[in-house]
Amino acid sequence: MIAAQALRSNSSAGRPAASVNVVSMKPPKRSRRRIHRGESLYGVGDPFRVLYVVRVGVFKSFTVSDDGLMQVTGFPMVGELIGLDGFDTGLHQSEVVALEDAEVFVLPFAQCEQWSQESIHGQRMMLRTMAHEIVRSQDLMIMLGTMRAEQRVALFLLDLSQRYGRLGYSQTQFLLRMTRQEIGSYLGLKLETVSRILSHFQQEGYLQVQGRSISLLDLPALGQLSGLSPDRSRVAPESILDREGEFVQDHNEALRLRLTSGDD
Amino acid sequence: MIAAQALRSNSSAGRPAASVNVVSMKPPKRSRRRIHRGESLYGVGDPFRVLYVVRVGVFKSFTVSDDGLMQVTGFPMVGELIGLDGFDTGLHQSEVVALEDAEVFVLPFAQCEQWSQESIHGQRMMLRTMAHEIVRSQDLMIMLGTMRAEQRVALFLLDLSQRYGRLGYSQTQFLLRMTRQEIGSYLGLKLETVSRILSHFQQEGYLQVQGRSISLLDLPALGQLSGLSPDRSRVAPESILDREGEFVQDHNEALRLRLTSGDD
DNA sequence: CGGACGATTGAGGACATTCAATTCGAGTGG
DNA sequence: CCACTCGAATTGAATGTCCTCAATCGTCCG
């Protein structure tokens, strides 16, 4: 009954590099790229050549429909993958902008394909990463399709909380890197609605908000509002890259087990 | 300028296996499965072992949230792939039900992985199919997040029209295999709203509707309402399976052409 | 300090939902 | 063959949620 956890984080990140061991013959380090606040990683129609993994910072990805409407599709954070939207057609279908000064690993897609060919593990990482993106989209669709404004905002906050937590930051206090409008676009709401609901939550004592800084005071209450079951915390797949920017080569027992014997 | 660079690099990559032709030893035919109207292909929580490709019929896929709310995520038709939602976690995240008597190819996922390993073409098919699913989700998200009811319904009808057309059926006359409620769920609307809008469209002369049978009378008008630019037709990737249920091994200049010169 | 952008808050209105009453259609059994 | 039933679809009226418009305030940066 999981489904309703509408915001499975697209994160991975945060893994202690314990069991990771990198191949003997090291390929060159992935190149990095610095992005300034407000700068664009790529835009709609740009040719697809590389994937990115966030190293520092928070981004927003969004699409623009034919008639100019904008829809934010995600807020990729540290450890998360960016760029898959270009693979299908060879041209990027969305735009990605840094919400703060940031840095990414740059992965020529050809390398990913090669990696995927050379190792079963690499193949699974690639496929799984993409599959995860599909599931994440479905969750977002549930939210946009069936939930009310309060529920959406609560869910959004809890998702952020979880992701920050996984990165080792506070789960209850953080800065929103995005504007109300961007939040609204992501949630299918108008910025005023988002603002109103945040104020309302504050009035109820669920949280404290001042501009971009948020402090969650009553996680259980928010959880209840969001309508998700307390237990579940679906784990995102580990990142394709380790902290050094190398492909994660390790053969994770857990993963293999689940995939091969995998029925429950 | 296109995906080309990244995608084209097949030749000397990891595999000496020539460019194609692992075909010589043909694997056995894919098994098939018949599904009766209303029957379920799989449910939430079922273990993920196989993928399906629709051979006959129309399905609906949907997720159920903790509180019982349903969100339809798609209406897979002939030639389309079903089941990827289970790959990420190893358990299916959604349920798929036949809206009419149907038949599917059953593909053990292990075979897909193998196929993906053996041929560069297979790998690309797999990845591209998944990438396409991601893009499709994003489109749906735009719809759910930013569009008004009329726009959604118009878009839905045009999408159906296009898909039926591609299958060789009439683009302007077809039977809706799903109820108003299911359409509504898919579009993030209530069934009454869908019904009202269809009636309204009929009143305006855009279409004729009687129960499940629809006849589109003014495609341009619907296109305008939907907010699509006139040319815009997002092309789905060819199916993973051919009509016989065999993996599509190569053939085609078509794909390569599109990938290499594909932008313009 | 001033300007620009983001955020808050209020009032009124639009659009979709909810509730409710029929109608239609297919399938069943007398 | 015709009533009967059940689910689906249509349509109306009232309600509610969220949006639009607008004014104000706050904050960040020049």
Side-chain angles (χ1 to χ4, degrees), chain A residues 157-177:
Chain A
L157 293 173
L158 290 175
D159 178 57
L160 273 189
S161 164
Q162 214 178 322
R163 286 158 77 192
Y164 276 120
R166 205 174 301 140
L167 291 176
Y169 300 115
S170 168
Q171 287 198 356
T172 55
Q173 282 187 218
F174 44 86
L175 281 181
L176 299 173
R177 293 296 162 24

Side-chain angles (χ1 to χ4, degrees), chain B residues 81-96:
Chain B
L81 188 73
I82 299 178
L84 281 176
D85 62 277
F87 181 52
D88 181 32
T89 64
L91 301 177
H92 283 292
Q93 305 298 306
S94 50
E95 180 166 352
V96 174

Side-chain angles (χ1 to χ4, degrees), chain B residues 190-204:
Chain B
K190 293 298 165 186
L191 68 93
E192 296 97 326
T193 306
V194 174
S195 180
R196 264 184 256 274
I197 287 173
L198 287 177
S199 298
H200 176 233
F201 282 174
Q202 182 167 26
Q203 221 167 356
E204 298 290 325

